[in-house]
Amino acid sequence: MVLGIPSVTALTRILSTTAFKLAAIYLTSFTALSVFLFIFISQNTDDLMNKQVVQTVDAEIQGLAEQYAQNGINGLVVGVERRVRSPNSNLYLILDYSGNVITGNIAYLPEKVLSVSDGRIQFVSYTPLGFVETDQNKAKAIVRIFELPGNFKLLVGRDLEDQVHLKSLLGDALTLWLVGMVVLAGITWFFLNRRILKRIDNLSMSSRLIMEGDLAGRLDVTGNGDEFDRLASNLNVMLDRIEELMKGLKEVSDNIAHDLKTPLTRMRGRVEAALRQDLSENEGRECLEETLVETDELINTFNALLRIARVEAGSTGAELQSIKLGNIVKDVCELYEPVAEDDGVEFSVSLEDEPVIEGDRELLAQALANLIENALKYGRPTEENVKPTIKVVLSGNDEQAILSIEDNGAGIAAADRERVCNRFVRLDSSRHAPGSGLGLSLIKAVVTLHHGELQLTSAGTADDSESDKQSGLRARIVLPLNKGQRGEGEGNEAWDKARKKNATS
């Protein structure tokens, strides 16, 4: 019993594999279908051939009946003898009133068959003329037996050897087919077990290593382009994203530790100085107010970090609905026009299109407000005699909505445009103004949530080909239109077909 345990375990593993189950289902299904088709074809073939045999027998009976009507029993005997001498599958037998054979090509027929002489169709076993009566020499036939005047009996029938042979061929074909199914099922099991399940095991092993902490590990892609390659590719993209988020988390932690240390140290120093000195009531109030301002700035920084994390994780509860982007632009710009005017900034808004997108109104308004605030704070011209300007332009094409915010300030060098969207990144030219370096990070997260793209280019050229000559910054939010406006709905397709048909007619 102990020696048999490994074999039993191996057999159990084989029987429990998906490959064996699929092969068994495949074999069972095709076997059942094959048997059904065999029975269906066999029965219908038998019915068709039996009808043809009966028609042949009836034609022979009609011919013999005419001879009997013209020449009596003697003419009938002559006609049967002439037909017997012709080699074919037809059967004939004439018996006298005593049951003696007058003529025919049947050596033996059971008595109970001869007793039924009303002309009905009978399926019988008989022994052909010239053969000994044995089970091996028996054959199948369809016959009709008629009783004639004078107690004579006439049998007319046809041998069914062709049908029996056809059934035998169908049976052999079914056997070969079933054997082929078994072989094919075995090949299928071998292929699934050796190829597909092996790849699944490799994926499981790689996944286990990744779960153990090896975030740099990736699933193998063979390059065949099959389902497993597509699955592995998608999982690798997901792992890249997870690794990127983990790196981002580490960077955020480092940035928080670095960038928040200075204001916290400054607050601690101010409080310690206040404790060491004998401050008046006004001086103490002023110290508390300054501390409160820096505390609010820290709280705002943490709120911004939390909001960015929620947007990136998609846990803001945002519901993407069909909205007109132009309405958001109008509402936000109306709020900032007085602010720009007070700061001496020339503020202009141009709505060249009315795109409809799938988005969250609050998040998009927050992103646009952040871009306008950045333009107001950092988009000041370097020349003193140049008036600062901010241009907000909403346009679009057949596939996208494009929201552009442009200023005539110092701009951002091409080498810094990707880095400036990271958390807590502040360029040297912007450190004179208050801020936390989280505005563009939040904007990028909102745009990514809407399946869009944030583009930072130079405002001086249309294609950003002269990025070294800074003449302002152009921030573009590119968002996809909803399906209806892109013309992907069923109504649009029907209308396009109608227009094409009308154009060709």
Side-chain angles (χ1 to χ4, degrees):
M1 295 297 293
V2 176
L3 295 177
I5 291 178
S7 60
V8 172
T9 304
L11 179 61
T12 304
R13 290 183 59 187
I14 293 175
L15 296 178
S16 63
T17 59
T18 304
F20 180 83
K21 294 177 181 178
L22 289 176
I25 293 174
Y26 173 83
L27 178 61
T28 303
S29 301
F30 273 85
T31 300
L33 179 61
S34 301
V35 172
F36 170 77
L37 289 176
F38 172 76
I39 295 174
F40 178 80
I41 294 174
S42 178
Q43 288 183 348
N44 282 273
T45 303
D46 277 350
D47 292 341
L48 180 60
M49 295 186 71
N50 288 339
K51 289 180 181 179
Q52 293 177 347
V53 169
V54 171
Q55 291 175 358
T56 302
V57 171
D58 290 342
E60 288 294 317
I61 292 173
Q62 185 176 0
L64 292 174
E66 292 176 356
Q67 291 186 359
Y68 180 74
Q70 294 177 1
N71 303 313
I73 189 65
N74 293 327
L76 180 62
V77 171
V78 172
V80 168
E81 288 179 347
R82 185 171 61 250
R83 284 174 168 79
V84 167
R85 288 193 294 267
S86 300
N88 54 41
S89 299
N90 292 335
L91 301 177
Y92 307 95
L93 187 65
I94 297 179
L95 303 176
D96 60 11
Y97 61 91
S98 299
N100 299 317
V101 177
I102 299 176
T103 185
N105 55 0
I106 297 178
Y108 171 77
L109 198 66
E111 290 292 337
K112 64 179 181 179
V113 174
L114 296 173
S115 62
V116 180
S117 56
D118 55 358
R120 73 178 65 175
I121 295 175
Q122 300 184 66
F123 291 86
V124 301
S125 296
Y126 77 100
T127 302
L129 186 65
F131 290 88
V132 180
E133 182 189 348
T134 62
D135 293 338
Q136 295 180 350
N137 293 330
K138 287 185 178 180
K140 301 291 185 181
I142 290 180
V143 299
R144 286 183 185 270
I145 302 176
F146 299 92
E147 186 170 353
L148 304 178
N151 292 328
F152 291 96
K153 290 185 179 181
L154 170 66
L155 179 149
V156 180
R158 189 170 179 85
D159 186 80
L160 298 179
E161 182 181 358
D162 293 340
Q163 289 179 257
V164 174
H165 183 62
L166 179 60
K167 277 189 175 182
S168 177
L169 290 178
L170 289 176
D172 294 341
L174 177 63
T175 302
L176 291 176
W177 174 259
L178 293 179
V179 172
M181 288 297 100
V182 173
V183 174
L184 191 57
I187 295 174
T188 302
W189 172 81
F190 180 81
F191 176 77
L192 289 174
N193 188 57
R194 295 295 181 183
R195 295 291 301 276
I196 297 179
L197 295 183
K198 185 177 181 180
R199 293 193 62 184
I200 292 177
D201 291 339
N202 291 336
L203 292 177
S204 300
M205 186 179 301
S206 300
S207 301
R208 191 176 300 110
L209 293 176
I210 293 171
M211 288 188 294
E212 291 176 356
D214 184 14
L215 294 180
R218 293 296 180 268
L219 303 179
D220 295 334
V221 179
T222 61
N224 294 331
D226 56 8
E227 296 84 356
F228 291 98
D229 273 0
R230 293 197 294 270
L231 174 62
S233 298
N234 290 333
L235 290 176
N236 287 339
V237 172
M238 180 187 69
L239 292 172
D240 290 339
R241 178 60 176 162
I242 292 175
E243 186 178 13
E244 181 182 349
L245 291 176
M246 294 300 293
K247 289 181 179 179
L249 178 61
K250 183 178 182 301
E251 291 176 359
V252 168
S253 302
D254 295 341
N255 291 332
I256 290 176
H258 181 269
D259 290 9
L260 298 186
K261 182 178 180 180
T262 300
L264 288 174
T265 302
R266 189 165 54 248
M267 289 173 58
R268 178 181 176 84
R270 183 180 297 111
V271 173
E272 288 180 346
L275 292 175
R276 287 195 303 266
Q277 300 175 6
D278 187 11
L279 301 178
S280 62
E281 181 178 352
N282 291 334
E283 290 175 340
R285 178 179 294 276
E286 182 180 356
C287 179
L288 290 176
E289 289 176 351
E290 293 177 353
T291 304
L292 185 60
V293 169
E294 292 198 2
T295 303
D296 290 338
E297 291 180 357
L298 289 175
I299 292 175
N300 292 334
T301 299
F302 279 109
N303 288 336
L305 285 171
L306 182 60
R307 189 171 183 81
I308 292 172
R310 287 178 175 175
V311 171
E312 289 181 340
S315 59
T316 59
E319 296 183 0
L320 303 185
Q321 300 176 348
S322 295
I323 56 176
K324 292 184 177 180
L325 189 56
N327 294 340
I328 299 177
V329 174
K330 290 178 184 177
D331 295 341
V332 174
C333 290
E334 284 180 1
L335 295 175
Y336 282 94
E337 280 179 346
V339 178
E341 184 178 355
D342 293 341
D343 289 346
V345 177
E346 183 179 341
F347 193 89
S348 62
V349 181
S350 176
L351 302 180
E352 300 177 359
D353 200 355
E354 287 290 339
V356 178
I357 65 170
E358 299 287 334
D360 182 86
R361 181 182 180 87
E362 181 182 353
L363 292 178
L364 291 173
Q366 179 67 54
L368 177 57
N370 283 8
L371 286 175
I372 295 176
E373 287 182 0
N374 285 347
L376 289 173
K377 287 193 293 185
Y378 310 119
R380 300 286 176 169
T382 55
E383 296 84 359
E384 295 182 359
N385 57 348
V386 178
K387 186 175 182 179
T389 60
I390 297 177
K391 298 178 182 178
V392 179
V393 180
L394 177 61
S395 60
N397 51 41
D398 294 338
E399 298 290 332
Q400 299 170 327
I402 302 174
L403 177 59
S404 175
I405 297 88
E406 180 180 328
D407 62 55
N408 61 343
I412 300 176
D416 296 328
R417 289 173 190 166
E418 183 177 357
R419 185 174 66 91
V420 78
C421 292
N422 297 332
R423 296 178 180 89
F424 293 111
V425 174
R426 300 190 68 195
L427 303 179
D428 294 336
S429 59
S430 63
R431 293 192 177 275
H432 65 280
S436 60
L438 296 174
L440 287 176
S441 299
L442 177 59
I443 296 169
K444 184 177 180 181
V446 171
V447 173
T448 302
L449 178 66
H450 288 78
H451 310 290
E453 183 182 2
L454 175 62
Q455 301 173 352
L456 301 179
T457 61
S458 175
T461 57
D463 58 355
D464 200 30
S465 59
E466 298 180 2
S467 57
D468 293 336
K469 298 180 180 180
Q470 299 299 327
S471 58
L473 178 68
R474 179 188 293 116
R476 301 175 69 211
I477 296 178
V478 181
L479 300 172
L481 300 178
N482 66 355
K483 292 184 178 180
Q485 198 169 17
R486 288 202 304 265
E488 297 180 5
E490 295 180 358
N492 297 81
E493 293 178 359
W495 178 245
D496 290 339
K497 292 180 181 178
R499 285 191 301 178
K500 292 178 181 178
K501 183 177 180 181
N502 187 39
T504 56
S505 61

